Amino acid sequence: MPSRPDADDPRLGDVSEGRILHAILSRTSSASHALIGPGDDAAVVATPSGSVVATTDTLVHGPDFRLAWSSGYDLGWKAAAVNLADVAAMGARPTALLVALAVPADLRLSFVERLADGFRDACDALAPGCAVVGGDLTVSDVLTVAVTALGDLEGRAPVTRSGARPGDVVAVAGELGHAAHGLAVLFGRFRDGDVPVAVDPAMLAAGESAAVAAQLRPSPPIGLGAVAASAGASAMMDVSDGLALDARRMAAASEVTIALDRETLGDDPERAIAGGEDHALLATFPADALPPGFRAIGRVLPRGEEDLLCDGSPVEVSGWDPYRDWDSVSG
Amino acid sequence: MPSRPDADDPRLGDVSEGRILHAILSRTSSASHALIGPGDDAAVVATPSGSVVATTDTLVHGPDFRLAWSSGYDLGWKAAAVNLADVAAMGARPTALLVALAVPADLRLSFVERLADGFRDACDALAPGCAVVGGDLTVSDVLTVAVTALGDLEGRAPVTRSGARPGDVVAVAGELGHAAHGLAVLFGRFRDGDVPVAVDPAMLAAGESAAVAAQLRPSPPIGLGAVAASAGASAMMDVSDGLALDARRMAAASEVTIALDRETLGDDPERAIAGGEDHALLATFPADALPPGFRAIGRVLPRGEEDLLCDGSPVEVSGWDPYRDWDSVSG
């Protein structure tokens, strides 16, 4: 909760667009790749290797976050992190973010300031040299944060989902299932009936605190995307919708079968397989090329009847499809 | 109105994300600049001149468009056009769009299909070779279209707002005031009380039809952005918020005074000065360098007391600030 008196923390509907933009831009660091930063019709970002990697991902209040659980800072951090992960998953280094904010007029200015702090800190922590270079501000009844991330391949070939080959090792960098564990804690413990309520840290065991943090402020291993590409990764993607769903997508795109070893999937293999939103990097490598930071979780087989096996058996695929799973009442 | 029976035109909440994405992507042409297009974690777009121009702009149902007036096709077209104009205003050629859609679950699939058609046709008409290379789909109670446009400078220096010099000619390419005229027609004639109702073309005079089209499907002169840069434009921006407001911004950024000649501003100079959303290109050139497609509307003076003059007198600045002007009832 903001400690500032309300007069110092106006609602966005009572201040000019210029003041809001200034509050955001004064908080974002300068991107080392920006030739022209915010303030003109468009930004200009250096792309020394002759191409740009570009991706967009949106967080919408309701299906993607709840303000009782996520602070402005959390929201900025997560919106940055999920987009940085998509750039990393191509083998690129993130260079710049563009942020399109649609905000309710009764939101406080301090919320947007903390959001900008979250963007800055996530970039500094996960992808140094990357920063917000442009954006857009509109008014909407539904708080919506649409981010575009750009990246540079630095001379490497892009790593797609479709290059996995039989004999490759399947590996992952980053956590699996932690963010889903955190979401289960939030849904199970911090609701009054169906209404989300603020998290009381005193009610969380140590592992639960880490899981809630993984859900609200994920820290995917962004720098390892470039490492994987340099090491010769044959395929890569970020695990946003759960290992089962995303590994199956990779297997289908590569026309192979992916075989996972359950014992490599940690204390709770079911959660590691089904849980999304950690944005770990899933990659395949020639058997002798696994780089530091990645751990083997299986191998690539010639295309069989199933896209995905775990310990030799078919995997019941589950994952997050916002249209199928979302329920505006239960959240 | 869709003529398809409902069973063939399901609500988005009843179909999978994959089917919706397929419906969109099957309608967008392939971008000649895309090295990797939709379907992976990120797109890869060629940037032969070593930098990328990037901008983002969002249309939100309510403040930015009304579904009684804008079809899905109109909305896709306009969302493309306003972003292409920002790329053109830097002197660049648009290469790619990323589209982040947040859509209500009860919207029909056909609406999204027409939206994709609008994106495609706007790119083909205004910026050949540019196409949708990626996107994101989320569910939201408020239909929101956030677009990022990328462009290539093809070796030209970017043209900012801050380079206007005393002695330069002030010029514009494209219409001024037409979109505002169209909005006035919509607000004045096609509402039942405060509620927007569908446009009846039979109720429109010829000039009004063109004005409504300029508001709903603007066609800014995208190709002239590169022409202006090649001709030596010293400053450029697109006129999104009205000539008065945007020329004043250019004057402030360039530390000059801009002097307009009223007689160059057409039949309705007041509307040309105040009206926004045409996305004409406003540029300054050395006096002997005005390229075809641009018409002179004034000159650049050394910095005086006023940012902006018209026939020697100060201009009452008006323009569109969504936070100040929007009213959820009348608006």
Side-chain angles (χ1 to χ4, degrees):
Chain A
M1 295 291 104
S3 57
R4 293 152 58 166
D6 283 358
D8 278 355
D9 189 15
R11 297 186 191 280
L12 297 179
D14 295 327
V15 296
S16 72
E17 185 177 4
R19 179 167 170 196
I20 301 166
L21 290 173
H22 176 78
I24 297 172
L25 295 174
S26 65
R27 278 170 171 75
T28 56
S29 23
S30 59
S32 53
H33 309 273
L35 305 175
I36 294 178
D40 223 292
D41 292 79
V44 183
V45 178
T47 59
S49 58
S51 68
V52 64
V53 172
T55 182
T56 187
D57 204 0
T58 304
L59 300 183
V60 177
H61 187 205
D64 295 318
F65 63 90
R66 298 304 176 94
L67 289 179
W69 296 334
S70 290
S71 67
Y73 185 88
D74 294 338
L75 181 58
W77 179 291
K78 184 166 181 170
V82 301
N83 279 281
L84 296 172
D86 281 325
V87 169
M90 301 303 289
R93 193 171 303 281
T95 52
L97 301 180
L98 295 105
V99 180
L101 283 181
V103 292
D106 63 355
L107 206 67
R108 295 282 177 186
L109 183 61
S110 61
F111 184 90
V112 173
E113 292 171 345
R114 292 296 88 72
L115 186 87
D117 289 339
F119 271 104
R120 180 199 58 222
D121 289 355
C123 285
D124 288 351
L126 304 176
C130 179
V132 176
V133 298
D136 179 49
L137 185 66
T138 52
V139 65
S140 173
D141 288 341
V142 176
L143 177 58
T144 305
V145 186
V147 178
T148 296
L150 306 180
D152 189 59
L153 284 160
E154 302 174 325
R156 295 178 295 273
V159 185
T160 68
R161 301 175 176 192
S162 57
R165 294 293 167 259
D168 285 351
V169 61
V170 178
V172 72
E175 306 297 346
L176 293 174
H178 284 211
H181 181 194
L183 193 63
V185 170
L186 292 173
F187 268 81
R189 209 89 67 69
F190 297 101
R191 292 197 296 171
D192 179 0
D194 285 332
V195 179
V197 296
V199 175
D200 177 358
M203 289 175 63
L204 296 173
E208 292 172 339
S209 292
V212 168
Q215 167 59 223
L216 300 180
R217 293 185 303 280
S219 289
I222 304 302
L224 290 176
V227 168
S230 294
S234 48
M236 185 156 54
M237 65 188 297
D238 86 312
V239 183
S240 51
D241 296 336
L243 180 61
L245 197 59
D246 286 328
R248 218 176 124 159
R249 288 174 176 151
M250 179 182 280
S254 298
E255 299 179 3
V256 297
T257 291
I258 286 179
L260 302 174
D261 301 323
R262 183 178 301 266
E263 67 172 13
T264 66
L265 296 176
D267 296 341
D268 190 338
E270 294 310 316
R271 184 168 270 157
I273 287 174
E277 295 196 270
D278 287 300
H279 301 278
L281 295 175
L282 173 69
T284 58
F285 297 91
D288 58 352
L290 196 67
F294 281 83
R295 57 191 188 276
I297 60 168
R299 59 205 184 288
V300 179
L301 304 179
R303 175 78 190 164
E305 273 188 33
E306 300 286 337
D307 292 310
L308 184 65
L309 302 170
C310 187
D311 285 356
S313 299
V315 175
E316 185 75 23
V317 171
S318 61
W320 175 252
D321 178 336
Y323 288 90
R324 295 204 175 281
D325 297 346
W326 186 53
D327 169 338
S328 63
V329 177
S330 66
Chain B
M1 293 292 103
S3 58
R4 293 152 60 166
D6 284 357
D8 279 355
D9 188 15
R11 296 185 192 280
L12 297 179
D14 295 328
V15 296
S16 72
E17 185 178 4
R19 180 166 169 197
I20 301 167
L21 289 174
H22 176 77
I24 296 172
L25 296 174
S26 66
R27 279 171 170 75
T28 55
S29 22
S30 60
S32 53
H33 309 272
L35 305 175
I36 295 179
D40 223 291
D41 293 79
V44 183
V45 179
T47 58
S49 59
S51 68
V52 65
V53 171
T55 183
T56 187
D57 205 0
T58 305
L59 299 183
V60 177
H61 186 206
D64 295 318
F65 63 90
R66 297 304 176 94
L67 289 178
W69 296 334
S70 290
S71 67
Y73 184 87
D74 294 338
L75 181 58
W77 179 292
K78 184 165 180 170
V82 302
N83 279 280
L84 296 172
D86 281 325
V87 169
M90 301 302 289
R93 193 171 304 282
T95 52
L97 300 180
L98 296 107
V99 179
L101 283 181
V103 292
D106 63 355
L107 206 67
R108 295 282 179 187
L109 183 60
S110 61
F111 183 90
V112 173
E113 291 171 347
R114 293 295 88 72
L115 185 87
D117 289 340
F119 270 104
R120 180 198 58 224
D121 289 355
C123 285
D124 288 351
L126 304 176
C130 180
V132 175
V133 298
D136 179 49
L137 186 66
T138 52
V139 65
S140 173
D141 288 341
V142 176
L143 176 58
T144 305
V145 186
V147 178
T148 297
L150 306 180
D152 190 58
L153 284 161
E154 301 175 325
R156 296 177 294 273
V159 184
T160 67
R161 301 175 176 192
S162 57
R165 293 292 167 260
D168 285 352
V169 60
V170 178
V172 72
E175 305 298 344
L176 292 174
H178 284 211
H181 181 194
L183 193 63
V185 170
L186 293 172
F187 268 82
R189 208 90 67 70
F190 297 101
R191 291 196 298 172
D192 180 0
D194 286 332
V195 179
V197 297
V199 175
D200 177 358
M203 288 176 63
L204 295 174
E208 291 173 340
S209 292
V212 168
Q215 166 60 224
L216 300 180
R217 293 185 304 280
S219 290
I222 304 302
L224 291 177
V227 169
S230 295
S234 48
M236 186 156 52
M237 65 188 297
D238 85 314
V239 183
S240 51
D241 295 336
L243 180 61
L245 198 58
D246 285 329
R248 218 176 123 160
R249 287 173 175 151
M250 179 181 281
S254 297
E255 300 179 1
V256 297
T257 291
I258 286 180
L260 303 175
D261 300 324
R262 184 178 301 265
E263 68 171 14
T264 65
L265 297 176
D267 295 340
D268 191 338
E270 294 310 315
R271 185 168 269 156
I273 287 174
E277 295 197 90
D278 288 300
H279 301 278
L281 295 176
L282 172 69
T284 58
F285 297 91
D288 58 352
L290 196 68
F294 282 82
R295 57 191 188 277
I297 60 168
R299 60 204 183 288
V300 179
L301 304 180
R303 175 79 190 164
E305 274 189 32
E306 300 286 336
D307 292 311
L308 184 65
L309 301 170
C310 187
D311 285 355
S313 299
V315 175
E316 185 75 22
V317 172
S318 61
W320 174 253
D321 178 337
Y323 288 90
R324 294 202 175 281
D325 298 346
W326 186 52
D327 168 340
S328 63
V329 177
S330 67

